[in-house]
Amino acid sequence: MPVLHIRPALFEDEDALGRLDRATWSYLHAVRPREEPPYEPFFGERYGPRDHLVAELDGRLVGYVRLGFPTPLVSNAHVRQIQGLAVAEEARGLGVGRALIRAVIAEARRQGALRISLRVLGHNTPARKLYESEGFVVEGIQPGEFYLDGKYVDDVLMGRSL
């Protein structure tokens, strides 16, 4: 049985995270076109290792979740937002996504957050089902917010109390 370990990201994870991000790209969850070389660094001014938890299966990086603030407003500082989640194709169905969601909820609580939210594309049924099973509820829908791969796609806001 593979051993799953969730840990904070390290700067040394940058290359592996960039490769994972590019390998998992799909219009099922991406609102930007596929990235082309030369690739931007995975970590940048807005997000660094401190904003990510990574999943390892038997020591190999197979997933990540990004946790941030939905706005820079002090009046909104009690809320955290999941701003990215990826699981390697070969690790799907092994509980990696669920483990990352549970770990990021625990991290948001540790940071003192009272709520956690996320945005997910309306057609991303697997992600929506996972989030719902972990207590997230739909709090709003922006119909046709994105035009992706020849189709208009809803943007769904989900959240839950901590």
Side-chain angles (χ1 to χ4, degrees), residues 45-96:
E45 285 183 30
R46 187 166 176 201
Y47 301 110
R50 72 189 173 285
D51 304 306
H52 295 83
L53 298 175
V54 298
E56 293 178 325
L57 264 180
D58 292 334
R60 194 170 64 81
L61 197 146
V62 294
Y64 78 84
V65 62
R66 178 181 298 138
L67 184 66
F69 290 90
T71 73
L73 302 170
V74 172
S75 59
N76 190 227
H78 63 287
V79 181
R80 296 298 180 279
Q81 188 173 58
I82 295 172
Q83 297 179 336
L85 174 73
V87 175
E89 185 72 37
E90 68 274 12
R92 292 182 187 164
L94 300 176
V96 174

Side-chain angles (χ1 to χ4, degrees), residues 145-159:
E145 187 71 6
F146 296 102
Y147 187 73
L148 304 171
D149 200 27
K151 299 179 188 102
Y152 290 98
V153 179
D154 296 349
D155 189 22
V156 179
L157 176 64
M158 299 181 80

Side-chain angles (χ1 to χ4, degrees), residues 115-118 120 128 131-140 156-161:
R115 274 185 44 75
I116 189 167
S117 65
L118 60 89
V120 61
R128 289 180 64 180
Y131 297 136
E132 287 170 1
S133 74
E134 291 299 320
F136 288 84
V137 296
V138 173
E139 297 179 334
V156 179
L157 176 64
M158 299 181 80
R160 61 165 283 178
S161 296

Side-chain angles (χ1 to χ4, degrees), residues 10-37:
L10 305 170
F11 187 75
E12 297 81 51
D13 295 321
E14 177 156 12
D15 288 341
L17 286 167
R19 284 192 303 274
L20 174 65
D21 215 35
R22 291 187 295 276
T24 58
W25 181 93
S26 163
Y27 276 125
L28 185 61
H29 59 82
V31 296
R32 294 171 27 160
R34 182 184 299 273
E35 192 178 356
E36 298 291 333

Side-chain angles (χ1 to χ4, degrees), residues 94-143:
L94 300 176
V96 174
R98 185 172 308 282
L100 283 166
I101 294 298
R102 290 178 178 175
V104 82
I105 287 170
E107 175 60 19
R109 280 190 186 116
R110 188 192 69 72
Q111 292 179 13
L114 302 177
R115 274 185 44 75
I116 189 167
S117 65
L118 60 89
R119 293 169 65 178
V120 61
L121 294 175
H123 64 226
N124 192 344
T125 303
R128 289 180 64 180
K129 285 184 177 184
L130 172 62
Y131 297 136
E132 287 170 1
S133 74
E134 291 299 320
F136 288 84
V137 296
V138 173
E139 297 179 334
I141 297 176
Q142 294 178 295

